[in-house]
Amino acid sequence: MNAQTSMKLSPVLQREITPEGSDYETVRRVIEKISLDYRDQPSLETLAEEVGETPPGLQKLFTRWAGLSPKGFLQAVTLDHARRLLDSGMPLLETAFEVGMSGPSRLHDLFVTHEAMSPGDYKTRGAGLTIRYGHHISPFGVALIMVTDRGLAGLAFNDAGNERAAFVDMSSRWPNATYIEDMSATAPYAARIFDPAQWRAENPLRVVMIGTDFQLRVWDALLKIPMGKACSYSDIASGIGTPAASRAVGAAVGANPLSFVVPCHRVVGKSGALTGYHWGLTRKRAILGWEVGQLS
């Protein structure tokens, strides 16, 4: 039996990890409400009624999760805010020098050290590669984490109950790899990735990127976007020396296998519109708003 067939027949989850009443589920419903009705500036009372919470209870829950009130979160994910991020931006390759090594915007950048497999390795579609995986609770729903002996190789998100679909999506990128469910191997990554207190330069997270040469260049550029900043597809295209390749950049951004860690969520349209996100636009809003809360 080859690796691909084994992958399809083996269980995705050896144990149930879906939480009951998780904060994110409530937050997700609130984000969807304010995303649809943001022009009406829905009140805390309206949002609380929508999710079956009291206004004080929702305020407390949301602030615990995001570091922001629902109103502050709404302001953080508006089109106007994204435009301001773009307007205050600077050429992609200069941001690291401008922000400075001690600035809070560098929190996310400082804890990642990355390497890339060669395009030749990518062409084998994962042949000879062993990938261990596990599903873990995260601030943004269930996270599927994939690791190799060289470091983190994949991070995807899904809502509870869609674990298998997320696994099939990610494993199809490297169909010739051998997949082993091993939450003991992935749990340390889950603990570090979503805990800002562990984002330290002296103990960086090891990441390995598996893609084409063009994808690797785009993903490397994404790592240069500081937390609290935004970048457009055309900015990235120009930054990697292919100014006419915005559409190809968009495809590479969408194919990023390392969500959150390689921050494709910080890429927006030239107008400031959030545009799409492989793991759902609501989740993209959630991550951006959560980051604002961390910086606050």
Side-chain angles (χ1 to χ4, degrees):
M1 183 180 293
N2 62 35
Q4 189 170 8
T5 303
S6 176
M7 173 194 74
K8 290 179 179 177
L9 295 179
S10 64
V12 176
L13 287 174
Q14 298 291 349
R15 51 182 155 155
E16 181 61 49
I17 52 88
T18 303
E20 292 294 332
S22 68
D23 285 358
Y24 178 69
E25 176 57 26
T26 300
V27 167
R28 181 186 64 79
R29 292 168 61 196
V30 172
I31 293 171
E32 288 179 344
K33 176 68 174 176
I34 62 180
S35 298
L36 291 172
D37 300 340
Y38 72 93
R39 289 184 180 85
D40 298 330
Q41 295 287 303
S43 67
L44 179 63
E45 289 73 21
T46 298
L47 295 172
E49 183 178 359
E50 180 77 14
V51 298
E53 289 276 354
T54 65
L58 177 61
Q59 181 91 350
K60 183 177 180 180
L61 181 153
F62 203 97
T63 303
R64 179 177 68 240
W65 177 86
L68 295 168
S69 67
K71 182 177 181 180
F73 185 95
L74 174 59
Q75 293 170 344
V77 297
T78 61
L79 181 62
D80 287 343
H81 179 73
R83 284 173 176 157
R84 286 195 297 274
L85 289 179
L86 286 171
D87 290 344
S88 66
M90 58 206 83
L92 187 63
L93 300 181
E94 295 177 13
T95 56
F97 301 102
E98 178 68 21
V99 174
M101 294 301 288
S102 62
S105 294
R106 294 287 288 170
L107 275 173
H108 193 274
D109 308 358
L110 286 175
F111 94 118
V112 175
T113 180
H114 65 287
E115 61 175 301
M117 289 190 173
S118 71
D121 291 330
Y122 172 74
K123 288 179 181 178
T124 68
R125 309 298 301 279
L129 188 67
T130 297
I131 298 178
R132 299 179 184 276
Y133 70 93
H135 297 264
H136 301 270
I137 303 307
S138 84
F140 314 109
V142 180
L144 168 60
I145 294 178
M146 293 180 158
V147 302
T148 71
D149 58 0
R150 295 166 66 177
L152 179 72
L155 172 57
F157 294 108
N158 61 269
D159 295 325
N162 294 321
E163 291 85 359
R164 184 175 296 277
F167 178 77
V168 169
D169 179 284
M170 290 293 289
S171 57
S172 67
R173 300 165 190 242
W174 314 295
N176 296 326
T178 297
Y179 291 89
I180 300 173
E181 184 178 15
D182 186 354
M183 291 184 69
S184 65
T186 54
Y189 286 87
R192 292 184 61 197
I193 289 168
F194 302 110
D195 181 4
Q198 298 193 48
W199 298 355
R200 298 191 301 271
E202 67 271 17
N203 186 29
L205 178 74
R206 291 176 57 215
V207 168
V208 58
M209 297 190 287
I210 310 170
T212 66
D213 179 65
F214 183 79
Q215 286 175 331
L216 294 174
R217 289 162 60 200
V218 171
W219 300 340
D220 183 65
L222 295 178
L223 282 168
K224 294 181 172 71
I225 308 173
M227 192 171 176
K229 295 285 185 179
C231 197
S232 71
Y233 298 98
S234 57
D235 289 336
I236 294 174
S238 296
I240 64 173
T242 56
S246 293
R247 189 178 296 272
V249 164
V253 170
N256 169 33
L258 288 156
S259 300
F260 185 72
V261 171
V262 176
C264 53
H265 57 275
R266 297 179 194 157
V267 183
V268 300
K270 189 174 275 189
S271 69
L274 295 187
T275 64
Y277 186 60
H278 188 78
W279 306 108
L281 198 52
T282 295
R283 189 167 278 108
K284 181 172 184 173
R285 290 189 176 97
I287 296 172
L288 288 171
W290 183 88
E291 287 188 341
V292 171
Q294 300 306 306
L295 292 174
S296 299

